[in-house]
Amino acid sequence: MAGALDGVRVLDLSRHLAGPYCAMMLGDLGAEVIKVERPGVGDESRHWGPPFFSGESAYYLCCNRNKQSLTLNFKHERGLTLARELARGSDVLIENFRVGVLDKLGLGYADLKAINPRLVYCSISGFGHTGPDRELGSYDFLIQGRSGLMSITGEPDGPPMKVGVAIADVAAGLFACNAVLSALFARERTGVGQHLDIALYDSQIAVLANVASNYLCSGEIPGRWGNAHKSIVPYEAFQAADDYLILAIGNDEQWQRFCVAADVAAWAQDPRFATNPQRVAHRETLIPLLYGLLSGKTVAEWLQLCAEADVPAGPINAIDKVFADPQVGARGMLVQMPHPTLGTVQLAGTPLNLSATPAEMRLPPPLLGEHTDTILSHLLALDESAIAELHRDGVV
């Protein structure tokens, strides 16, 4: 069955995580994705490790399935010419070079728009293509700090803390994918493409969501709450008899059901705890009571009790337990793909579930330059001697 983006060609000039993550999602949805890499070096994430799986970086593997790898040397004029020819026949281009670099190489939006007005050209950078910091390079960690995310992450009396995944990169990749899909939809009406300017900094500020809104509405600078929630109680992790669990009670009805199920029905009527604003105001009294209560049963016992009472609760799983979870298997969030050198590679699946045009895992993350000759032959109509010359001259 054809994917939603069947017939769309994506030229992926990006490296690291944000751009490749965006391109991978487009590939999952059926687009043909050509990943352009430096000869002999490739995407820098190929070298980010350990862990390595038979020489392949686990980091690289996470965001590069459903792509073909082509090596091109942008320091060689013929490499740039080949890139322009590929852009002429592409629907989408994704890049995350420093602002202005591709313009100097003749691969900027204005250059490629002139030869392909329908091109959707997606630029992903640390700070965007406007503003005083547009030329600054950046990584996810720096964005997490500058965006304020680290100031609200960690224990109240502890140091600022980054999120355990590269959330600024992932968020930018998600926003970029959304923008690309929107631009392709707009192109159906207008017939022309456009330039998309996606910044990690912008993306992470947008992800602040309710925390940003709280500050903008109140003027109060948010702090760190650890696993607790400033506005909802109880909504945090508690130590049970054997491990930690999360109790996430989002309304007063859930609180009343929990109190009855936990045999503390009087708490539901206590004027200090009856409503969420009262529970927030009396947090320092209620939370120690809950710690004492929850320590009396195991996590499994509490999860069963809460499930029967329709009260949101859950475990805090290590990653091995996540991928052993039957729900993960049922949802296809663990996939196994044949790989030319690894035998079989296991990857996290896609959350993109479409009933009529389902996402598909067609190609494993490619080896460096694995598809160079095929792309040059099939898409650019070069013969064997021309391709051999490009290899000999270090163009590919």
Side-chain angles (χ1 to χ4, degrees), residues 310-325:
D310 193 20
V311 172
I316 299 177
N317 286 333
I319 301 299
D320 59 337
K321 290 187 177 180
V322 172
F323 286 106
D325 189 331

Side-chain angles (χ1 to χ4, degrees), residues 79-123:
L80 295 173
T81 298
L82 292 172
R84 293 186 193 102
E85 286 305 305
L86 287 169
R88 186 193 300 274
S90 296
D91 298 283
V92 178
L93 182 148
I94 302 171
E95 63 90 9
N96 66 342
F97 285 78
R98 286 281 191 96
V99 174
V101 168
L102 290 185
D103 293 305
K104 294 177 182 177
L105 296 176
L107 294 175
Y109 175 61
D111 302 299
L112 299 185
K113 178 183 179 182
I115 62 173
N116 182 4
R118 290 175 55 81
L119 183 65
V120 173
Y121 189 111
C122 180
S123 297

Side-chain angles (χ1 to χ4, degrees), residues 16 29 39 117 181 210 219 222 258 343 360-361 366 387:
H16 308 152
L29 291 170
L181 296 175
N210 62 295
F258 171 78
E360 185 179 1
M361 310 297 108
I387 294 173

Side-chain angles (χ1 to χ4, degrees), residues 80-215:
L80 295 173
T81 298
L82 292 172
R84 293 186 193 102
E85 286 305 305
L86 287 169
R88 186 193 300 274
S90 296
D91 298 283
V92 178
L93 182 148
I94 302 171
E95 63 90 9
N96 66 342
F97 285 78
R98 286 281 191 96
V99 174
V101 168
L102 290 185
D103 293 305
K104 294 177 182 177
L105 296 176
L107 294 175
Y109 175 61
D111 302 299
L112 299 185
K113 178 183 179 182
I115 62 173
N116 182 4
R118 290 175 55 81
L119 183 65
V120 173
Y121 189 111
C122 180
S123 297
I124 302 175
S125 59
F127 297 97
H129 282 226
T130 58
D133 295 333
R134 61 188 179 277
E135 295 183 2
L136 289 180
S138 191
Y139 283 104
D140 173 274
F141 190 18
L142 301 177
I143 296 296
Q144 288 198 38
R146 182 165 172 176
S147 69
L149 180 64
M150 290 177 62
S151 76
I152 59 171
T153 305
E155 293 299 325
D157 56 353
M161 190 68 61
K162 70 179 180 69
V163 177
V165 297
I167 190 66
D169 274 325
V170 172
L174 292 169
F175 285 125
C177 185
N178 195 26
V180 167
L181 296 175
S182 299
L184 288 173
F185 184 76
R187 194 181 71 174
E188 292 300 303
R189 299 194 309 271
T190 67
V192 296
Q194 57 186 292
H195 184 218
L196 313 178
D197 177 8
I198 307 298
L200 269 68
Y201 194 38
D202 299 346
S203 300
Q204 188 53 69
I205 291 171
V207 168
L208 293 176
N210 62 295
V211 175
S213 185
N214 289 348
Y215 165 70

Side-chain angles (χ1 to χ4, degrees), residues 3 54 68 85 280 330 355:
S54 298
Q68 302 174 72
E85 286 305 305
V280 171
S355 64

